[in-house]
Every structure is written in C-alpha cells, then in structure tokens.
Amino acid sequence: MLTKLINKTEEGILCIMLVGMTLLVFVEVILRFGFNTGLLWAEEVTLYISAWFVLFGASYGIKVGAHIAVEAFVKLLPDNIRRLVASVAIILSVIYCGLFLYGSWIYLTKMKMIGIEMEDLPIPKWIAMSILFIGFVFLGIRLLQLLWDVITGKQLGFHVIDEAEETLHLFEEIEQIELAEDAAETRAGQ
Amino acid sequence: MTTATLFILLLACMGMGMPIAIALGLSSIVTILFFSNDSLASIALKLFESTSEHYTLLAIPFFILSSSFLSTGGVARRLIDFAVDSVGHIRGGLAMASVMACMLFAAVSGSSPATVAAIGTIVIAGMVRAGYPESFAAGVIANAGTLGILIPPSIVMLVYAAATEVSAARMFMAGFLPGLMMGGILMVAIYIVARVKNLPSRPFPGVIKLIKSGATALGGLMLIIIVLGSIYGGIASPTEAAAVAAVYGFFIAVVGYRDIGPLRKIPWRYPDEKLSRAALRNTHQSVAALFKSAIDPEIKEVLLDATKTSLMLLFIIANAMLFAHVLTTERIPHMIAETIVLWGLPVWGFLVVVNILLLIAGNFMEPSAIILIMAPILFPIATQLGIDPIHLGIIMVVNMEIGMLTPPVGLNLFVTAGITKRDIGWVIRAALPWLGLLLIFLMLITYVPQISLFLPEYLDARAGY
C-alpha cells in the first residue's frame, strides 16, 4: 500500500514537472507572438524545473530500469558471476552517489551561509539547488535496494528496459486494430 | 596517465553493465580527484549547471513528448494510406510507399525502432499479401526505419548539438537533404528490383482519394511543417518549436485523431447527426476532454513513457558534460589531434578511422550515448583538421543509422524480428543487401560534404533563420 502510494506520488510529480515545463515554454511563445509581452521569470523557472526533473528522476530511473547500459558482455556470464559483477557495479555507483552527496553538502552549506537569492525570484538559491542533495539521497536509497535484490537473487543486475520489446507494444496495438477491422469487414460482407 | 585512467575506468564501468550515465560520471570524478585540483563541491555545482543552464537541451524532453503522442498506430495508418495513394501505382509502388511512410513517420516520431514497429506491422503484411517476398519487405522496412534519426526534427541531432554546442537549427537543416537522398536511393533501388523481379503495382486510386488521404495525414504532417517552418523561418528557437510541437501533438492525438484519451471512439459525427448539432457536441466534448485528460490513464501512460526516456537522456547528458569537462581541461582531444597531425594522416584517412570507430561502437551502444562520448573527443580533432562540425555531425548520425542494423544492439533488427516472428539471423540476411546501400550512402556523405552543408550554407547566405 505504502509502496503504491510512493510510486504514484513519484510518477505524479515527474509528469507534472514535464507538463509544467512544456506549458511554461508554450505560454511564453504564445505571449510573445500574440500579445508581445513575456514572463520575466519563465526561463529561470523552466530551467530549474528541468534540473529538479532530472535529479529527482534519476532514482526513479533506477527503479524502473530506464537507464541504458551496455548489456552485451554481462549477458555472456553465468548467473552467479553476473550477479557478482552487478553487485560490484552497484557498489561503485553508491560510491559515485556518496562523492556527490559530500560535494553538494559542502556547496549547499556555503550557499546558505552566503545567502544569495535566485536571479528573478525571491527564493534563496540553496533551496532551489537543494535537489542536488535530495536527488542523490534518493538515488543512493534506490541503489542500495537494488543491491539487496541482486544479493538475494531477485534480480540479475540493473534491469534495463529492452527498447526493442518496448516498441513492440505498438505492434500489438496495431494488430488488434487490424483484427477488429477484418472482423468488421467480414460482418459487412455477410 | 590521466587519459588512460579516464578511459580504462569508463570502459570497465560500462563493461560491467553499469548505467552509462553513472559510468561517465564516476570515471570523470575519479579522474578529477586524482589528477586535478577541483573540489567535490565544484564538481557538484558543475553537474547542477549542466542540468539547469542549457535552454537548448529542453528541446529534447519536448520532442520526446510530442513524438510519444504521435507514435500511435492511428497516425501510422493515416500516413501509410497517404503514401500508398501517392506512389502505390508505380511498379514496386507498395514498397516505395512504405519507404515514404517511414520517412514521414520518422520525421513525426523521431525514433527509428518506433518507425519500424508502427509502419512495419502494417506494411510488411500488406506487401506479402500483394505478392512481395517477405524477406524483401522486411529488409526494406528495417532500413527505411533508420531514417528516423537523420530526418529532422531528430533527437540524436539535438544530442549532438548539446555535446558540441553547434546550432541545433543548422544540424536540422543539414540533415534534411541527406534524409531525402537516402529515401530516394532506397526508392530507386526498389524500382530497379521491382522491374527485374516483375513485382506488382496497384491501380491509381484517383486524385480525389489522394487529396482526401493527404488531408487526413496532414494533421500529423503539420507537426513537421510547424517545427521546421518556425525554426528555418527564424520565428522560434528549437526549444520553443519543440514545446509548441508537444502541445500540438497532444491536441492532434486527443482531439483531432482521437487515438488516445477521453475522446477515444467518440466520432466527429455520428451517422445521421445534424451538422450543427455535431459541431455543438464536439465543442463542449473537446473542452471537457482537456480537463478529463488530466486523469486519463492512457494520457498518463504516454506522459510516463516520455518522462522515462527524457530523464534517462538528460541524466546521461549531465554526466557526459562532466566527462567533456575532464577531456577539455586535460587537453586530451588536442593531444590526439597533434599526434594525428604529426603522423601526417590526411583528412580522408581520419574520416575512415572515424567511420570504423563509430561502426564498432554502434555494435554495442545506443546512438545518443555514443554521440555523447565520442563527439567531445572527435569534435576538436575535426576542427583542427578543418572538417566542418556540422558535416562531422551528419557523418556521426549516418554511422548511428548503420549501428541500428548491426548485431548485437541493432534495435531495428530486433523490432523487425518481433514483427515478422522470424529469428534474428533471417532478418540480418534480409536487411543485408539494403545495408550495402546504406554503406555506399555513408561514403557519399563522408566524402562529399556539400550534401550536408549545401542547405545550411544556402540559408546562411540568405540570412534565412
């Protein structure tokens, strides 16, 4: 139940950010051409949303396996060794996270001390940039979860979306339409 | 030493199956920590800046969004109808129409595997029914599908523009002519084969039917006109054009074509419905649909799809910018360039090496990832040798097209295998003769830079954009 709620929230936030960015740029275009005005803060906000989108989404990407990787070599290994290699890769990724957490913590505390605000909005810069730290905390959590799944044998590695499989849903969708049409035609023929 | 550390780490991490984004980031940070004086805080700042200071990059999620709205079976069907009505009456016309439909769908969707899946599903079966050999049909589609990344608007080109900071608008212009040319080459080859093998043609459906199917297809095709028109006409930047395209894509898919979303299966006009009544009903239904879309499960599916792809790409790009930063501060490309100049390797020799390198890389990695890793290395070298950055970009894109047709990562092969329900070896054999054409085309593009540079330079001269 809780995981379902977290999933929904995560997906909801990401979708809203994507739609928000799109609409902001769209509205700005309309304002410029239709009314010859613009929103002064729109560009900065759009860019910050994009940063939040990417850094918040990185952990979601680990969860759903959206990040692409080179699978050709690990696929050749037997399952046990493959899981071992994957564990090493995940531990290295956690180190990557740790380095960023450390760096962004230092940076953010400095920014808080100096107390600069964003260019067009009266928001302290360290709050606007806090996603740098938050995002990597989430990424770290997802990676540790993944590590546990690999160790307990629930997974073989970063389960990567197979893009070929992904696009084949189009094929199934079209095939269903065709079948329905054929059925309608035969009925009409009778 | 620095160079060796960077590349060995990168290759080792990627070989272990680590996500490419993290592999790029990790190898860059470690190299910086060991060989330079930058602090971790400044690296963190660099990563944040690379996600938040590039307005051009936003075109990527917007185009992905617009293409996910329009990558539906319904759009594919309409484009195919239009293509068959226009060229179907020529000998081998159904195959030519498939190539044309692939080109149109590629331009709208910007994705090669999606093009193969959407167009291939319908036309391969259609061609077999019309008496074409199945291997012929599958081979044509697998190849024509690769045009998706060459015909603008193309996401791979945007990625190249982001990696090298050349103008995305110029890249789009440069891809236009080569894209048409490759389509033309495929069609001519089909015509010749059709003459030799005596393949069937269809009767001409009449001008009225052609205009009608053209008008239906125009809903989707308007997207290309809006995007390219506003970029080339100098009205909007690629990012703004992409945002408009995304909103337009939503309207066409939900209100216009009604393939997805709350209006699905509600026709524009019921039989025997009065025109005024239908107009009134459609107006309020359309407005209601805008609000209903917010909670519609199908719309959410499309949004989530676009979200996954965009954040994956943008996260790689953010890390790739760290990687590029290390490359420039350590002057790695410059050193390679100096060595090459010292060897006295001529420009054509360098281009041969580039082609071979990219073809090998294309066997293992995704197009966007390859471009993000290779472009920052190749770009400074090419500039030093006097190769136009735009030309280099087109060469890279055409190489990536070939990469989609070579195992083990050739996406188009897997999609074609899925559609035809044949094994991968059969698909490779079917695609092979057409792959030969693509290789010849690659040589043309590599050694005749004017093909890529003519249009951007012509428009430059007219100060068109």
Side-chain angles (χ1 to χ4, degrees), chain B residues 112-459:
Chain B
S112 288
T115 305
V116 176
I119 304 291
T121 310
I122 301 174
V123 296
I124 291 179
M127 277 196 263
V128 172
R129 244 178 287 154
Y132 291 77
E134 194 182 8
S135 63
F136 177 86
V140 166
I141 292 300
N143 275 273
T146 63
L147 288 169
I149 57 177
L150 186 58
I151 296 181
S154 139
I155 288 153
V156 175
M157 281 186 195
L158 279 174
V159 171
Y160 179 80
T164 58
E165 294 183 354
V166 303
S167 137
R170 293 197 66 183
M171 273 308 286
F172 281 179
M173 272 183 282
F176 196 69
L177 224 51
L180 286 185
M181 205 176 135
M182 184 63 222
I185 291 177
L186 279 178
M187 287 202 206
V188 170
I190 289 170
Y191 185 74
I192 295 170
V193 174
R195 279 274 156 197
V196 173
K197 285 196 172 176
N198 209 8
L199 292 173
S201 61
R202 299 159 76 97
F204 186 62
V207 181
I208 297 166
K209 185 149 184 296
L210 176 62
I211 292 174
K212 215 172 157 185
S213 60
T216 322
L218 199 63
L221 293 180
M222 269 305 281
L223 185 91
I224 313 174
I225 299 168
I226 292 176
V227 171
L228 297 190
S230 58
I231 295 176
Y232 297 173
I235 306 168
S237 67
T239 309
E240 292 165 337
V244 175
V247 175
Y248 178 80
F250 166 79
F251 271 103
I252 278 296
V254 173
V255 180
Y257 285 162
R258 307 183 170 187
D259 289 331
I260 48 169
L263 285 179
R264 188 174 181 170
K265 291 187 180 142
I266 300 176
W268 277 98
R269 194 176 168 189
Y270 290 108
D272 306 329
E273 195 181 19
K274 266 196 203 129
L275 201 60
S276 54
R277 206 186 155 78
L280 198 68
R281 176 179 62 84
N282 277 305
T283 319
H284 84 81
Q285 272 179 344
S286 303
V287 174
L290 290 188
F291 294 100
K292 276 189 205 154
S293 296
I295 48 161
D296 191 89
E298 277 177 330
I299 306 271
K300 197 188 156 200
E301 200 60 34
V302 170
L303 281 177
L304 262 186
D305 253 10
T307 301
K308 279 179 206 160
T309 319
S310 336
L311 68 86
M312 177 271 286
L313 266 181
L314 291 176
F315 193 55
I316 296 183
I317 291 173
N319 284 286
M321 283 187 175
L322 275 187
F323 179 72
H325 171 73
V326 180
L327 286 178
T328 10
T329 47
E330 300 300 327
R331 298 179 38 84
I332 294 168
H334 300 92
M335 286 190 299
I336 302 176
E338 273 158 28
T339 326
I340 288 179
V341 173
L342 212 67
W343 286 349
L345 192 70
V347 173
W348 64 265
F350 169 70
L351 288 175
V352 170
V353 176
V354 167
N355 279 333
I356 294 172
L357 212 61
L358 289 172
L359 289 179
I360 295 171
N363 291 346
F364 298 101
M365 265 193 281
E366 289 269 320
S368 323
I370 297 178
I371 292 213
L372 283 168
I373 295 173
M374 300 295 273
I377 303 173
L378 296 177
F379 175 75
I381 304 176
T383 339
Q384 207 146 55
L385 292 176
I387 299 165
D388 194 292
I390 300 276
H391 180 215
L392 179 72
I394 300 297
I395 294 175
M396 290 190 82
V397 172
V398 176
N399 269 299
M400 300 300 102
E401 283 191 69
I402 296 174
M404 306 201 125
L405 291 169
T406 45
V409 190
L411 281 176
N412 282 12
L413 294 177
F414 289 103
V415 177
T416 314
I419 293 172
T420 51
K421 301 203 172 77
R422 300 279 195 145
D423 64 295
I424 198 85
W426 181 85
V427 179
I428 294 173
R429 274 196 302 281
L432 210 56
W434 306 97
L435 185 64
L437 278 181
L438 211 52
L439 280 171
I440 294 171
F441 178 64
L442 174 66
M443 288 209 285
L444 267 179
I445 289 292
T446 312
Y447 297 111
V448 190
Q450 283 77 19
I451 302 172
S452 329
L453 297 178
F454 169 73
L455 203 57
E457 275 170 6
Y458 175 73
L459 287 175

Side-chain angles (χ1 to χ4, degrees), chain A residues 16-119:
Chain A
I16 289 169
M17 285 202 273
L18 181 62
V19 174
M21 281 196 283
T22 317
L23 289 181
L24 260 176
V25 177
F26 179 72
V27 167
E28 231 202 330
V29 174
I30 298 292
L31 282 179
R32 198 169 79 225
F33 288 104
F35 307 94
N36 223 351
T37 69
L39 302 169
L40 194 64
W41 44 269
E43 186 171 326
E44 195 182 25
V45 173
T46 318
L47 284 170
Y48 271 82
I49 298 179
S50 101
W52 279 70
F53 176 73
V54 179
L55 294 171
F56 181 77
S59 61
Y60 175 74
I62 292 284
K63 191 184 78 183
V64 294
H67 293 297
I68 50 169
V70 180
E71 290 266 271
F73 304 112
V74 284
K75 264 190 186 159
L76 302 175
L77 301 171
D79 278 5
N80 273 337
I81 301 177
R82 192 173 164 187
R83 268 171 47 213
L84 187 74
V85 172
S87 312
V88 175
I90 297 171
I91 291 170
L92 286 175
S93 309
V94 174
I95 293 175
Y96 161 88
C97 253
L99 289 172
F100 265 110
L101 278 176
Y102 178 75
S104 54
W105 181 257
I106 294 177
Y107 184 75
L108 290 174
T109 43
K110 272 192 188 148
M111 285 308 264
K112 189 167 183 247
M113 214 169 62
I114 307 169
I116 325 176
E117 291 191 342
M118 281 167 71
E119 273 164 42

Side-chain angles (χ1 to χ4, degrees), chain A residues 136-155:
Chain A
F136 279 105
V137 170
F138 285 150
L139 187 61
I141 295 173
R142 288 292 181 209
L143 283 169
L144 290 176
Q145 272 181 350
L146 186 66
L147 182 62
W148 181 249
D149 282 352
V150 171
I151 289 173
T152 51
K154 269 188 233 157
Q155 259 185 46

